[in-house]
Amino acid sequence: MEPGRFNLSRPFIERPVATILLAVAVVLSGILAYRMLPVAPLPQVDYPAIQVSASMPGASPESMAANVATPLERALGTIPGVDRITSSNSQGSTRIHLQFALDRNVDEAAREVQAAINAARSQLPSGMPGMPQYRKINPSQAPIMSLALSSETLSPGELYDVGSTILAQKIAQIPGVGQVEAGGASLPAVRVSLNPNALNQYGIALDEVAGAIRNANALRPLGHVATDERQWQVEANLQLRTADEYRDLIVAWRNDTPVYLRDVAQVAEGTENRYAAGFHNDRDAVLLVISRQPNANIIETVDAIHAQMDQLRALLPAGVDMEVVMDRSPVIRATLGEAEKTLMIAVGLVVLVVLAFLGSWRAALVPTLAIPVSLLGALAIIWLLGFSLNTMSLMALIVAAVLVVDDAIVVLENIARHIDAGLSPWKAAMRGAGEVGATLLSMNIALAVVFVSILFLDDFVERLFREFSLTLVAAMGISLLVSLSLTPTLS
C-alpha cells in the first residue's frame, strides 16, 4: 500500500496553524485542569458502609450485646450484599458497622437497613429512649484536621457545649468541610446518685423518684385566663437547670412532710456521658475532628480553615485555648511535592537522552514538546473523568513521561531519513508520518490494552489502580495524537 493513502497526519500537516493552535489549547486546558483538580493522598475508593447506633442508658455492655445488638444483627444480616457485620458495645450504647459489596448502592442499602430496624423493633427492650439510628459513612474518608479546646476555668462539659454548638457549626460552613465531630466530653448534665438506704428508710421506689424528676421538666401548657374579649397564656419557667434547683425538688410526701431529692440522693453537676474524656498535653480537652466533603481539595480546605482561625478564636469565651493537633496537609504536600519533583527529573532525563542521541537542539526540541503537551492533555482528561491529583495519578504521569516521547521520536527519525534522502521538509513529513502512522496506532492500542486490563481485576484493586490505568492510557492517547499532528507539522 502506498504510504500516502493511509496518512493520518495529512489533515494536520496541511493546516499547520490550526494544529499549533490546537496544541496550545490542549496545554492551556491542562494547566487549568491542574489548578482545578482535587488533591488527595490516594484515589477516592468509596466503601458502601452504614453504621447503626442504639442507646439504653444504664445498661451494661453485656446487656447491650445480648438484648440490643443481637436482635439488630439478626435482622440486618438478612440484607443482601452485606460483606461484614461488626458491633461494639459499651455502657448504654451499641454501634453496629455494616460493610456492603463495592457494587452495592449505598442509598438502596440505607433503605433496607431502615426496614430491618423496623422489623427488629418488637424484639428490642422497651426501656430504650428511641429507635436505633443509622448513618452512611465512608471508611476511606479519613479526617483532615483536629482541633483541641482546653481551659483552666471551664469544665469539659462547658467546653463541649461551646465546641459542638458554636465552633462546629461555624467550621461546617467553610467550603470543602463535610463533617465536624466533637469528642472528649459530652453536654453538661445534672447527675443524680440515689442512696438505696435512704430510699428504703422513706419507703420510696426508684420509679417514684424518676417520675418526680420527669414531671418537673415536662413541657406542658400551664393554662390560660380568658375574658369575653381577651385571652392570656399562663407561662412559667419551671425547667430545672442546675444541681441546686434539683436538690430542692420534692420527690414524695411522707407523714405530711416533703421528702426532697437531696434527702435520698447526691446531686452534682456533671456531663451526660461520664466515660467520655479527652486530653491534650496533660490537660482536659475537647477535640473537634474535621472531615472533608467527597472530592474536595484537602489542601484548599485546610488552608480555608486556617484562614478562619482568627475568627473562630474570637467566638471562644475568655480563657479557652484552641490549638491544631492534627493536620494532614503537610504530609500530602510533601508526598505530592516529591512526586512532582520525580516527574520533572524524569522529563529532564528523557530530554537529555533524546538530545544525546539526536545531537541537535533543534531536532531534540520537536519530540521534547510532545512531553508537556501529552501530560497536560492527560490532566485535562482526568479532570473530565472526575479523578483527583494523587500519588497514583502522578505515578502514571511519571511512567507516561518515558512512553509519550517514543512516538514522536519514531516519527521524527523517519522524517529525518527522508530529508537526508533529498525530499523537501513538507514531502518528507507527509511520507514519513504516513509510513509509521498505522504502526504507532497498533503499538499504542497494544499498550493501552495492557493497562486497561487492570480494570478487570478484583474490585478493590481495580478501584485503587483505576486512576493510574486511565491516566496512563489518556497520556498515551494524547501522545499518539501529538506524534501524528504536532510532530510532523513542526518537522
Side-chain angles (χ1 to χ4, degrees):
M1 179 184 294
E2 184 181 351
R5 296 180 62 183
F6 191 69
N7 193 344
L8 301 176
S9 305
R10 178 183 289 274
F12 301 99
I13 299 175
E14 293 177 347
R15 300 174 179 83
V17 176
T19 302
I20 294 175
L21 291 178
L22 179 61
V24 173
V26 171
V27 171
L28 293 178
S29 62
I31 294 175
L32 181 62
Y34 176 77
R35 298 180 61 88
M36 298 178 61
L37 278 170
V39 179
L42 288 172
Q44 181 80 9
V45 181
D46 293 332
Y47 289 94
I50 294 178
Q51 180 176 284
V52 179
S53 58
S55 63
M56 188 167 66
S60 65
E62 294 79 7
S63 178
M64 294 297 297
N67 301 320
V68 179
T70 299
L72 284 175
E73 289 177 352
R74 190 180 298 114
L76 295 171
T78 61
I79 300 176
V82 176
D83 283 348
R84 183 168 59 179
I85 299 179
T86 58
S87 63
S88 60
N89 302 278
S90 59
Q91 184 79 18
S93 67
T94 290
R95 289 189 178 184
I96 301 175
H97 183 84
L98 304 173
Q99 183 171 317
F100 295 85
L102 290 176
D103 58 350
R104 185 69 195 274
N105 184 282
V106 69
D107 295 324
E108 295 179 358
R111 289 192 289 269
E112 296 187 14
V113 167
Q114 182 62 63
I117 293 175
N118 295 336
R121 183 173 185 176
S122 60
Q123 305 177 30
L124 298 177
S126 59
M128 296 181 63
M131 284 291 293
Q133 303 294 322
Y134 74 90
R135 67 184 183 96
K136 294 175 283 188
I137 61 175
N138 184 4
S140 64
Q141 198 76 9
I144 61 174
M145 179 182 284
S146 294
L147 305 177
L149 303 179
S150 57
S151 174
E152 297 290 347
T153 57
L154 298 183
S155 65
E158 294 171 328
L159 280 178
Y160 185 89
D161 192 12
V162 172
S164 60
T165 59
I166 299 178
L167 286 184
Q169 305 300 325
K170 187 67 176 179
I171 296 174
Q173 298 174 4
I174 298 177
V177 175
Q179 185 179 17
V180 183
E181 292 183 330
S186 58
L187 291 174
V190 176
R191 303 198 66 86
V192 178
S193 301
L194 296 175
N195 186 343
N197 295 327
L199 292 175
N200 185 48
Q201 177 183 352
Y202 288 104
I204 300 176
L206 293 177
D207 292 342
E208 194 172 354
V209 177
I213 296 176
R214 186 165 48 249
N215 294 331
N217 289 280
L219 296 176
R220 58 177 181 268
L222 300 180
H224 65 277
V225 178
T227 62
D228 294 338
E229 298 179 355
R230 295 185 180 183
Q231 289 186 352
W232 290 270
Q233 297 290 335
V234 178
E235 297 181 358
N237 185 13
L238 300 180
Q239 292 292 306
L240 305 182
R241 301 293 184 182
T242 65
D244 291 335
E245 294 175 344
Y246 274 94
R247 292 189 184 99
D248 296 332
L249 176 65
I250 299 176
V251 296
W253 289 82
R254 293 294 182 267
N255 299 325
D256 296 331
T257 303
V259 178
Y260 297 96
L261 185 60
R262 62 174 180 267
D263 298 330
V264 295
Q266 293 182 353
V267 185
E269 302 286 349
T271 57
E272 291 180 349
N273 184 4
R274 59 180 178 177
Y275 298 104
F279 302 93
H280 175 240
N281 291 341
D282 297 330
R283 298 175 62 185
D284 292 335
V286 171
L287 302 178
L288 298 179
V289 182
I290 305 171
S291 302
R292 67 183 176 105
Q293 294 177 350
N295 298 324
N297 191 314
I298 293 181
I299 294 179
E300 291 182 357
T301 303
V302 171
D303 290 342
I305 296 174
H306 281 291
Q308 298 284 337
M309 278 298 179
D310 292 337
Q311 300 181 20
L312 295 176
R313 288 191 173 93
L315 299 174
L316 297 174
V320 178
D321 300 326
M322 181 174 66
E323 297 184 21
V324 178
V325 296
M326 191 274 288
D327 186 350
R328 294 183 64 199
S329 61
V331 177
I332 297 175
R333 293 178 198 269
T335 303
L336 297 180
E338 289 296 325
E340 291 173 355
K341 289 179 182 178
T342 304
L343 176 60
M344 297 305 296
I345 293 174
V347 172
L349 292 176
V350 170
V351 171
L352 291 177
V353 171
V354 172
L355 176 62
F357 278 88
L358 296 181
S360 170
W361 279 102
R362 183 176 181 277
L365 182 63
V366 175
T368 299
L369 289 176
I371 300 176
V373 176
S374 300
L375 299 185
L376 290 174
L379 287 177
I381 291 178
I382 66 175
W383 177 75
L384 292 175
L385 294 175
F387 294 165
S388 62
L389 196 63
N390 53 70
T391 305
M392 288 295 178
S393 57
L394 284 175
M395 184 171 64
L397 294 178
I398 294 172
V399 176
V402 181
L403 297 178
V404 298
V405 76
D406 293 345
D407 297 341
I409 291 177
V410 171
V411 174
L412 179 65
E413 288 183 342
N414 201 39
I415 293 174
R417 180 174 65 86
H418 288 293
I419 293 177
D420 293 339
L423 293 179
S424 65
W426 190 90
K427 290 184 178 180
M430 188 70 68
R431 176 172 296 183
E435 290 176 346
V436 299
T439 303
L440 292 179
L441 181 61
S442 61
M443 287 172 51
N444 281 271
I445 291 177
L447 285 174
V449 168
V450 173
F451 292 108
V452 169
S453 62
I454 296 177
L455 303 179
F456 298 94
L457 296 177
D458 179 73
D459 288 342
F460 175 78
V461 177
E462 182 269 330
R463 295 205 178 192
L464 183 62
F465 287 92
R466 177 189 296 175
E467 296 192 16
F468 170 81
S469 172
L470 295 182
T471 300
L472 196 52
V473 171
M476 292 167 53
I478 298 295
S479 168
L480 176 63
L481 180 63
V482 169
S483 64
L484 297 177
S485 59
L486 184 63
T487 299
T489 300
L490 296 178
S491 299

